[in-house]
Amino acid sequence: MSDISITKARTIIRKALATGRELGLKPLSVVVLDAGGHVKAFEREDGASPGRFGIAHGKAYGSVMLGMAGKAQMARAESQAYFMAAINGVYGGQVVPVPGGVLLRDKKGGVIGAVGVTGDTSDNDVIAAMAGIEAAGLIGEA
């Protein structure tokens, strides 16, 4: 299994935050996790609430641990709430099943990590995440 480099993680964060500023979004927080669900890099913009790390992490963590992006997790939570409740039990309440958790895939489709963005609407969080992922030359699945 391949992994994401610190250089690519920092590129994702830098571009996601820049995109948020360009679009006039509320202050963002961005986390990049490796394929094992460990934090590779994180930044919280000035003005973002301190609790945003947990939300960004939960979005990314659910994505990487389930191999399912945030939009798919939300759809699953809406159709099978008991399943996502059980998943959150398994993972100690760390999963936040909403858009803004984006899987990172290599060119062969393997999961190499995930990005979690929070601070604005979930749809805007996805836009910022995808901009960062594209700037790093990686494939994102929202």
Side-chain angles (χ1 to χ4, degrees), residues 25-93:
L25 304 183
K26 294 176 183 172
L28 299 178
S29 296
V30 184
V31 69
V32 179
L33 306 183
D34 66 16
H38 303 99
V39 175
K40 195 73 173 196
F42 170 75
E43 284 193 33
R44 179 173 59 89
E45 283 190 298
D46 293 343
S49 61
R52 290 292 174 175
F53 171 80
I55 298 168
H57 181 268
K59 288 181 177 188
Y61 191 75
S63 294
V64 76
M65 297 310 281
L66 298 173
M68 182 186 304
K71 289 180 184 180
Q73 289 179 61
M74 189 167 87
R76 188 79 181 260
E78 289 171 343
S79 68
Q80 295 180 309
Y82 65 88
F83 174 78
M84 288 310 291
I87 289 298
N88 245 325
V90 169
Y91 292 117

Side-chain angles (χ1 to χ4, degrees), residues 113-133:
V115 175
V117 177
T118 185
D120 205 271
T121 66
S122 290
D123 289 340
N124 285 338
D125 294 344
V126 169
I127 290 167
M130 292 301 288
I133 292 164

Side-chain angles (χ1 to χ4, degrees), residues 104-115:
L104 294 172
R105 294 191 180 272
D106 62 20
K107 290 182 176 25
K108 294 180 182 178
V111 175
I112 61 169
V115 175

